[in-house]
Amino acid sequence: MHHAQPFTLGFRSIGGQKPELLIGDLKRFISKAVVEAIKENPKESRKEFLLDFFLKEGSKSSNVNPYQFWRHDNKSIELWSNPVIRQKINYVHQNPVKAGLVLRGEDYRYSSAIDHSYEKGLLYNVVVFRMFDF
C-alpha cells in the first residue's frame, strides 16, 4: 500500500504570477530531479521498485510523461494574514508530535521547528516567519 507523505510549502506570489503555475513548475522541477537522482544513485537499493511504481502511476494519466511523482490534487490554503501564517506553521510543526514521533516539534529531525526556536536545524537558509504587510 502506498502512503503519500505530505509536503508543505509556504510561498508568496508576487508580480501577478498565478500560484498554481508556480506550483506546477516547482513540481515538474522536483519530480525530474528526484527521478534523475534515483536513476543515477548506484547505492539506491529501491531503484527498480521506485521507478516501476512511478512509471505505473504515470501510465494512469495522459498528462504525465512518463513518471508520476506527485499526486494531482493539492490542498491549497491562502495565507492571507499573519495570524493564519503563524497558525499553519504551528500546525505543521505539531504533526510529528501528534503522530507520536517526538515530544516537541523541535525534536523532529526534518522539521524547521528548531529554527523557529532560535536554534540551528539540518536545513540551510531557513526563513523563519516574519510579519508581512498585506
Side-chain angles (χ1 to χ4, degrees), residues 43-134:
K43 294 182 179 183
E44 176 53 74
S45 63
R46 303 159 298 163
K47 181 183 301 196
E48 187 176 322
F49 167 77
L50 291 169
L51 294 175
D52 286 347
F53 180 81
F54 296 152
L55 193 60
K56 182 178 126 195
E57 292 299 307
S59 70
K60 296 177 183 178
S61 178
S62 63
N63 66 339
V64 174
N65 187 17
Y67 298 101
Q68 173 70 44
F69 181 75
W70 298 99
R71 291 174 36 173
H72 287 290
D73 59 328
N74 296 306
K75 184 177 179 185
S76 299
I77 300 170
E78 184 177 0
L79 304 177
W80 51 271
S81 72
N82 290 313
V84 171
I85 293 170
R86 186 165 304 284
Q87 177 199 28
K88 299 309 175 193
I89 290 172
N90 290 338
Y91 172 82
V92 169
H93 288 164
Q94 288 303 306
N95 280 338
V97 175
K98 290 180 182 174
L101 300 173
V102 292
L103 294 176
R104 303 176 318 132
E106 296 86 351
D107 296 332
Y108 188 61
R109 182 174 179 86
Y110 303 105
S111 174
S112 64
I114 194 163
D115 298 286
H116 288 256
S117 297
Y118 306 105
E119 296 177 44
K120 179 67 183 111
L122 287 178
L123 303 175
Y124 295 99
N125 300 321
V126 172
V127 176
V128 176
F129 173 78
R130 60 180 188 207
M131 301 303 260
F132 293 97
D133 294 327
F134 287 95

Side-chain angles (χ1 to χ4, degrees), residues 10-64:
F11 71 96
R12 186 173 185 187
S13 173
I14 58 173
Q17 296 172 312
K18 294 184 178 182
E20 61 272 16
L21 296 179
L22 294 171
I23 290 172
D25 287 346
L26 179 68
K27 287 169 65 174
R28 274 187 295 283
F29 175 81
I30 290 174
S31 63
K32 286 179 184 178
V34 168
V35 168
E36 285 305 310
I38 291 169
K39 286 180 178 179
E40 295 174 5
N41 185 350
K43 294 182 179 183
E44 176 53 74
S45 63
R46 303 159 298 163
K47 181 183 301 196
E48 187 176 322
F49 167 77
L50 291 169
L51 294 175
D52 286 347
F53 180 81
F54 296 152
L55 193 60
K56 182 178 126 195
E57 292 299 307
S59 70
K60 296 177 183 178
S61 178
S62 63
N63 66 339
V64 174

